[in-house]
Amino acid sequence: MFMLRKFIKNRPTSRFGLTNQRDLNVAIIGQSTFAAEVYKLLIKNGHRVVGVFTILDKGNRQDPLAAIASENSTPVFKIKSWRKGEQALPEIVAQYKQVDAELNVLPFCSQFIPMEVIEHPKHKSICYHPSILPKHRGVSAINWTLINGDKEAGFSIFWADDGLDTGPILSQKSCPVLPDDTVDSVYNRFLYPEGIKSMAEAVDMVANGTAPVIPQSTEGVSFEPSVRKKSLQKIDWNKNGKDIHNFIRGLDSSPGAWTIIDNTEVKLYKSAIWSNDTPTGDLITVDTLQNPAVVHDNGLLITCNDGLKLNINRLSVDGKMMAASMYGKADTIQETIEFTAEEKALIPIVETIWKNILNMGIENNTHFFQSGAGSMDVVRLIEEIKDKLKLTIKNDDVFMSPIFSDFCNTLIKRSRGTSDEKKHVEYDPVVIEVNNMKLQFAKQLFINGQFIDSESGNTVECINPADESVICSIQCASEVDVNQAVNAASKAFEGEWTEMSPRDRGAIMYKIADLLDKHREELATIESIDSGAVYTLALKTHIGMSIDVWKYFAGWADKIHGQTVPISHARPNRNLTFTKKEPIGVCGIITPWNYPLMMLSWKMAACLAAGNTVVLKPTEMSPLTALKFAELSVEAGFPSGVINILPGLGTVTGRAIAEHPDIRKVGFTGSTATGHMIMKASSESNLKKVSLELGGKSPLIIFDDCDLEKSVRMSMGGVFFNKGENCIAAGRVFVESSIHDKFVDKVVEEVKKIKIGNPLERDTHHGPQNHKTHLEKLLNYCQKANNEGAELKIGGKRVDRPGYYFEPTVYTGVEDHMFIAQEESFGPIMAISKFSGSNLDAVIKRANSTEYGLSSGIFTKDISKALRFAEKIDAGTVFINTYNKTDVAAPFGGFKKSGFGKDLGEEALNEYLKTKCITVEY
């Protein structure tokens, strides 16, 4: 080789004195879209590609070169490695030699190719390199061209030899570097299109015997290391502004230049020199920079130490790409737009482009980069969109909209000449049409302001109880996910949420109330299909009361205060003692399936008003409104980490919350048995504070001096409200003997009028039970009642139709020892017992005979009876001549095995506060 170089010197001639020849047998060694385009052009120019040697598949995705070659029936060899150590693998070399190539073409190759292969063909090997050799030898040539501030960029096609980018030059081309060029812009504008064309021209020159062989100059030689080394990607803020600008754009879009912001590693992209006045915005500290940076409407403005200003357009935080203008703000998802018929016809074309690039089926939630795409694929996507749709898009359009449905949205907006300014939290949506509306909600965990998949990958199906169909599968949080959420909540509590003024926190809570109101019909529909709630009831109670709760506690946020306490003075000095009400910290909340959004709101609103952050586990049976709430919380402006929503199983997610040492309070609504386990786990972990709203067997006592029509109506509501899935349901109705039969007849008559059916129909009174296991429990409950001698008057069985429908049921003759008199059904089962009106204390004693003490009620016109009952009954709530009358301002909670602690009202705040006493001597 050395003698050959001396002989040819600088003479531009054919390397081996070839005669005119066409139709070369070419082996292409390499990868990427670039290599695939070279392949296509060589075929078009009449050459034969006798073999393609490329890299192994990545998962189920083969390299674009392999894909295009396979389509044309060209032999494809996917090579893991050509060498072992310094020795070529004989079996690989033998495989290569079988194709009998006359020329090797290396358009883009990341593997080390043995010299036995390089030198084997008749015309040897030619290679593409993206710099003007001998400058910037090495694998990161384009990056270093920009980092070094070169005024000129370009590429070389050279004859491969045993050095690293040292072989003789066949051809070179160059272009100017513009002030704000990035790797992508130089590549897209020049290196990609001109490089492909020049590689094909080089093969033609080899075939024609006119290919120059020009030894590389010894002047200007440089070799730089790969920028894949992380230490080489960190920004040195001590350099001048121009060098910093060159460094950032030299690593754009891969691998990205990084620095430290708010103790977090952040990558910076799209740097531009800023010559305008400094805009207003939020100030942040960037690593060792002397001046704070400004987050403003058009990016992140950085003032370098020499005074030069750089504007950063895009950031990557924790691996998630975002507009720099959104740093420190809530992320948002794209606003969905309605496509015209012509626009809809473009979507299959876009889908085909994605399918060809990713080599996989495309769904609305397919993520371009998570499916294996790289920066070269971005180029291909842009080029194919331009070619097939005659539409020019930018790299940013791909990076900021990597999910297929979002990308189509962006594409259509671009075609209309509009952009997507409104942002929302990004997630993989479930989209269904029901109740004459389009529903969209998440199915992932919500941690630190983002929807993410569970670490375990476990899922559970959400079943529509009205027809037993699967709505979707949702992610189930593992112990690792709980820990991640607690860490996010801890960071938020120690930072932005606590630093925010109580009034500002209240303003955000008012905003979430407004958003719940704005999405009222959508939320009620989700609640209906997910929990079986009758739509009209969901509108009024499930969603309506949720809105009221958020407004109520938003008003409390800036009214929480301590007291001054008079104490004895330490004479001759004096003392001042006062108390402070302080938030507890990270709180865990576990909610039930009967009122999914309302129970979330009852607990979380008080928790956040008190200044805490929260990790909430909604029931796995009905989690969908909680996930929709998580989405709306971002739009409301809650900082990342303040609210974390983790669907999952009680035995995994719930247990991890109860046992976590950094959670200081657990609020739970559910069964008494589960409450026992939470108490035990909380005490054994870190003695965390606990409030429990548990089971009930609430007595309702009806005297003969009542308003009978009202009593019947109210008692039916007390039992059948929300299908009986109501914690304060009147679990046992005591009716004075003198009116017992008349009362029962009227109840049975009214029960017959109850319309059972689709909960979305506006005239439905009674929907399906929440889930199959609960329906089976009710059937067993009735069987026990029958076996013990209670008299079934109506109902007691499953409705003969698809769905988990159970007939409203009435039993009489219920005696105190029976199972039906002692245990909660949590369903539409009225258990009626007689009592003698002459002995009030006796019936109160019977009412108090269970271990539950959540709610109670009495109907009588005798105020003395009513107040005596209220005094003696052992229940947290007492209703007189009404029932089920709850209000956001009235404290709610039980005694005995019904739990302790309060939801709603001012008292609920105390569940999420701790009192600190401070004494000053003066």
Side-chain angles (χ1 to χ4, degrees):
M1 188 66 112
F2 176 75
M3 292 177 60
L4 178 62
R5 286 184 188 162
K6 283 186 64 178
F7 176 78
I8 61 175
K9 212 168 182 181
N10 290 332
R11 213 172 92 201
T13 181
S14 166
R15 188 172 186 189
F16 301 106
L18 305 177
T19 57
N20 286 349
Q21 179 183 338
R22 301 290 292 176
D23 305 336
L24 283 182
N25 290 341
V26 175
I28 297 182
I29 304 175
Q31 65 211 66
S32 80
T33 305
F34 185 93
E37 292 300 317
V38 170
Y39 171 95
K40 290 192 286 187
L41 196 49
L42 293 182
I43 297 294
K44 181 179 178 181
N45 289 351
H47 299 291
R48 292 180 296 276
V49 179
V50 293
V52 160
F53 297 82
T54 187
I55 58 175
L56 298 178
D57 293 352
K58 296 179 180 178
N60 64 346
R61 181 171 176 266
Q62 59 182 338
D63 186 85
L65 175 59
I68 189 67
S70 298
E71 290 176 10
N72 287 275
S73 301
T74 300
V76 177
F77 304 88
K78 298 174 182 179
I79 311 297
K80 180 179 181 180
S81 176
W82 292 80
R83 306 187 309 181
K84 184 176 182 181
E86 295 297 320
Q87 299 299 314
L89 294 171
E91 64 273 19
I92 302 298
V93 174
Q95 196 176 45
Y96 160 76
K97 289 181 179 180
Q98 288 177 0
V99 303
D100 199 23
E102 298 173 284
L103 175 70
N104 290 331
V105 176
L106 284 68
F108 181 85
C109 184
S110 63
Q111 297 175 311
F112 287 100
I113 310 302
M115 287 308 296
E116 292 94 322
V117 174
I118 293 294
E119 294 287 348
H120 179 75
K122 177 180 180 181
H123 306 311
K124 310 304 184 209
S125 303
I126 62 173
C127 186
Y128 173 90
H129 184 77
S131 79
I132 305 172
L133 292 173
K135 198 170 186 180
H136 305 312
R137 293 172 178 169
V139 297
S140 301
I142 313 175
N143 306 90
W144 287 106
T145 296
L146 295 174
I147 291 171
N148 287 352
D150 292 2
K151 302 296 184 185
E152 189 178 58
F155 60 82
S156 304
I157 299 171
F158 67 95
W159 299 93
D161 64 5
D162 57 352
L164 187 60
D165 307 328
T166 57
I169 303 299
L170 190 155
S171 69
Q172 290 183 321
K173 291 185 180 180
S174 64
C175 71
V177 176
L178 304 178
D180 292 332
D181 261 332
T182 64
V183 172
D184 282 342
S185 65
V186 174
Y187 191 76
N188 293 342
R189 185 176 77 248
F190 184 78
L191 299 180
Y192 183 87
E194 289 299 321
I196 293 166
K197 184 165 62 176
S198 293
M199 281 299 285
E201 290 172 352
V203 173
D204 286 344
M205 285 191 283
V206 172
N208 293 331
T210 59
V213 183
I214 307 171
Q216 287 193 39
S217 170
T218 58
E219 296 180 7
V221 175
S222 69
F223 176 87
E224 295 93 356
S226 169
V227 296
R228 294 294 168 186
K229 189 174 181 181
K230 187 175 180 180
S231 61
L232 295 177
Q233 301 163 14
K234 186 175 182 181
I235 300 169
D236 182 356
W237 296 108
N238 292 319
K239 291 187 175 182
N240 65 58
K242 192 66 180 290
D243 286 345
I244 293 171
H245 168 64
N246 289 336
F247 184 79
I248 295 171
R249 67 194 184 119
L251 298 182
D252 188 353
S253 61
S254 178
W258 66 274
T259 190
I260 298 296
I261 302 177
D262 296 335
N263 297 316
T264 301
E265 186 177 306
V266 178
K267 290 187 176 183
L268 278 57
Y269 301 95
K270 297 283 288 181
S271 172
I273 296 173
W274 183 273
S275 57
N276 299 326
D277 294 336
T278 302
T280 58
D282 298 327
L283 301 182
I284 62 171
T285 300
V286 177
D287 203 6
T288 59
L289 265 181
Q290 296 174 3
N291 300 304
V294 182
V295 180
H296 62 105
D297 290 344
N298 295 307
L300 173 66
L301 188 68
I302 290 174
T303 302
C304 300
N305 292 340
D306 65 353
L308 185 70
K309 291 182 173 62
L310 305 177
N311 195 56
I312 307 301
N313 180 263
R314 196 171 68 229
L315 303 174
S316 176
V317 184
D318 294 328
K320 184 178 184 301
M321 198 69 73
M322 63 184 297
S325 60
M326 294 301 295
Y327 182 80
K329 302 178 176 66
D331 290 343
T332 54
I333 57 169
Q334 287 196 27
E335 177 186 9
T336 303
I337 60 174
E338 291 295 326
F339 296 167
T340 65
E342 290 182 351
E343 290 167 346
K344 287 179 180 178
L346 301 179
I347 304 306
I349 301 173
V350 181
E351 182 180 348
T352 300
I353 295 172
W354 276 52
K355 183 177 181 179
N356 291 339
I357 293 174
L358 299 177
N359 193 35
M360 60 184 291
I362 305 300
E363 305 291 340
N364 279 337
N365 58 4
T366 300
H367 194 293
F368 193 67
F369 298 107
Q370 290 178 4
S371 300
S375 57
M376 298 286 286
D377 298 303
V378 174
V379 176
R380 178 181 174 184
L381 178 59
I382 291 171
E383 290 299 313
E384 292 205 27
I385 292 294
K386 184 191 299 182
D387 180 53
K388 293 181 172 62
L389 300 184
K390 310 304 178 187
L391 185 63
T392 300
I393 61 174
K394 301 177 182 178
N395 288 55
D396 277 3
D397 293 324
V398 185
F399 283 110
M400 301 303 288
S401 303
I403 295 173
F404 182 75
S405 58
D406 291 345
F407 180 80
C408 292
N409 225 27
T410 297
L411 205 63
I412 298 305
K413 289 185 177 184
R414 187 68 67 187
S415 72
R416 296 177 181 180
T418 61
S419 60
D420 187 12
E421 297 296 336
K422 188 177 180 181
K423 308 260 182 207
H424 299 276
V425 63
E426 180 181 298
Y427 65 92
D428 177 18
V430 176
V431 180
I432 57 176
E433 292 191 8
V434 64
N435 200 21
N436 298 316
M437 66 180 71
K438 183 178 181 180
L439 302 179
Q440 178 171 302
F441 47 85
K443 58 184 178 183
Q444 298 166 287
L445 314 181
F446 182 72
I447 299 176
N448 202 28
Q450 297 181 8
F451 284 105
I452 62 172
D453 287 341
S454 169
E455 166 270 341
S456 68
N458 291 335
T459 61
V460 65
E461 289 183 339
C462 289
I463 306 295
N464 184 338
D467 58 14
E468 304 176 52
S469 64
V470 177
I471 302 170
C472 64
S473 291
I474 61 160
Q475 296 285 315
C476 280
S478 68
E479 185 176 349
V480 173
D481 298 317
V482 171
N483 192 58
Q484 183 181 350
V486 172
N487 289 339
S490 298
K491 184 177 179 181
F493 179 73
E494 294 164 2
E496 187 174 357
W497 189 240
T498 299
E499 293 169 1
M500 189 181 296
S501 75
R503 193 158 297 167
D504 289 342
R505 290 200 298 263
I508 295 175
M509 292 175 66
Y510 277 120
K511 182 63 184 289
I512 192 67
D514 290 341
L515 287 169
L516 293 176
D517 196 14
K518 178 181 177 181
H519 292 265
R520 181 191 291 256
E521 289 80 9
E522 182 182 1
L523 288 163
T525 302
I526 296 172
E527 195 92 318
S528 185
I529 64 172
D530 197 27
S531 75
V534 172
Y535 175 71
T536 51
L537 175 65
L539 274 176
K540 180 180 183 297
T541 302
H542 290 234
I543 313 305
M545 195 172 190
S546 298
I547 296 166
D548 291 344
V549 167
W550 283 100
K551 289 180 178 179
Y552 175 80
F553 283 109
W556 268 112
D558 62 351
K559 300 172 184 67
I560 298 170
H561 54 78
Q563 296 176 315
T564 57
V565 181
I567 67 169
S568 299
H569 295 298
R571 293 185 175 90
N573 294 335
R574 300 179 68 80
N575 296 98
L576 170 65
T577 296
F578 60 94
T579 60
K580 287 182 64 181
K581 298 284 189 178
E582 296 182 348
I584 294 172
V586 178
C587 296
I589 293 175
I590 303 172
T591 55
W593 41 259
N594 57 330
Y595 295 100
L597 184 62
M598 194 174 81
M599 290 294 98
L600 175 153
S601 301
W602 278 26
K603 295 185 185 298
M604 191 188 293
C607 177
L608 297 182
N612 302 285
T613 56
V614 66
V615 176
L616 180 138
K617 187 197 92 66
T619 172
E620 68 273 20
M621 302 297 182
S622 310
L624 298 182
T625 46
L627 294 174
K628 189 65 182 180
F629 175 88
E631 176 190 338
L632 297 177
S633 74
V634 173
E635 188 174 347
F638 285 100
S640 296
V642 172
I643 295 171
N644 302 273
I645 309 289
L646 304 183
L649 303 179
T651 53
V652 179
T653 314
R655 179 185 295 275
I657 288 174
E659 293 179 347
H660 201 287
D662 293 330
I663 290 179
R664 295 296 175 182
K665 159 70 195 284
V666 170
F668 171 75
T669 294
S671 72
T672 298
T674 304
H676 274 290
M677 290 188 286
I678 288 174
M679 278 281 290
K680 182 178 180 181
S682 298
S683 65
E684 291 179 349
S685 56
N686 60 348
L687 280 176
K688 55 176 60 70
K689 187 177 182 180
V690 176
S691 58
L692 303 173
E693 197 260 280
L694 307 175
K697 190 65 178 174
S698 301
L700 174 58
I701 299 175
I702 301 173
F703 282 86
D704 62 3
D705 63 346
C706 68
D707 180 331
L708 187 60
E709 294 292 336
K710 181 180 180 182
S711 298
V712 169
R713 185 175 70 253
M714 287 285 185
S715 62
M716 289 183 64
V719 175
F720 302 131
F721 188 81
N722 199 48
K723 312 159 295 174
E725 296 170 352
N726 191 24
C727 52
I728 61 170
R732 190 173 179 192
V733 180
F734 294 88
V735 182
E736 190 169 356
S737 300
S738 57
I739 61 168
H740 175 272
D741 293 347
K742 188 175 182 181
F743 177 89
V744 171
D745 290 344
K746 283 185 173 291
V747 166
V748 170
E749 181 183 345
E750 292 301 318
V751 167
K752 291 177 181 177
K753 299 176 183 177
I754 294 175
K755 181 184 176 183
I756 304 171
N758 184 347
L760 292 174
E761 292 179 2
R762 302 314 192 255
D763 59 346
T764 294
H765 302 132
H766 188 85
Q769 306 307 136
N770 184 274
H771 54 278
K772 184 178 182 180
T773 303
H774 183 54
L775 174 65
E776 292 170 347
K777 176 190 170 185
L778 295 178
L779 293 170
N780 290 333
Y781 190 93
C782 289
Q783 186 61 51
K784 288 182 180 180
N786 295 336
N787 293 342
E788 291 187 336
E791 183 181 352
L792 177 64
K793 304 297 288 187
I794 192 170
K797 59 183 184 295
R798 183 174 183 174
V799 180
D800 186 17
R801 61 177 292 168
Y804 306 135
Y805 292 91
F806 184 80
E807 293 179 342
T809 300
V810 178
Y811 278 97
T812 61
V814 176
E815 298 178 8
D816 294 351
H817 67 273
M818 292 180 178
F819 180 83
I820 189 175
Q822 294 293 320
E823 295 300 325
E824 181 180 31
S825 70
F826 210 66
I829 300 174
M830 181 180 284
I832 302 175
S833 300
K834 291 181 182 180
F835 77 95
S836 171
S838 62
N839 192 339
L840 175 61
D841 289 337
V843 74
I844 293 176
K845 183 177 180 180
R846 292 174 68 189
N848 283 335
S849 65
T850 73
E851 275 299 305
Y852 297 106
L854 186 56
S855 184
S856 61
I858 183 171
F859 280 84
T860 179
K861 294 178 182 177
D862 186 332
I863 190 64
S864 296
K865 279 183 189 175
L867 292 180
R868 183 169 177 80
F869 171 82
E871 181 182 332
K872 295 294 184 178
I873 197 72
D874 201 7
T877 297
V878 181
F879 297 111
I880 299 176
N881 293 328
T882 188
Y883 205 84
N884 269 343
K885 179 60 179 176
T886 56
D887 189 90
V888 297
F892 180 96
F895 304 155
K896 300 188 290 188
K897 284 190 176 180
S898 289
F900 50 84
K902 298 296 182 183
D903 290 324
L904 304 180
E906 182 181 359
E907 284 200 41
L909 293 168
N910 294 325
E911 303 298 330
Y912 297 95
L913 291 167
K914 56 189 179 184
T915 301
K916 180 180 290 182
C917 181
I918 302 168
T919 298
V920 180
E921 189 166 312
Y922 60 95

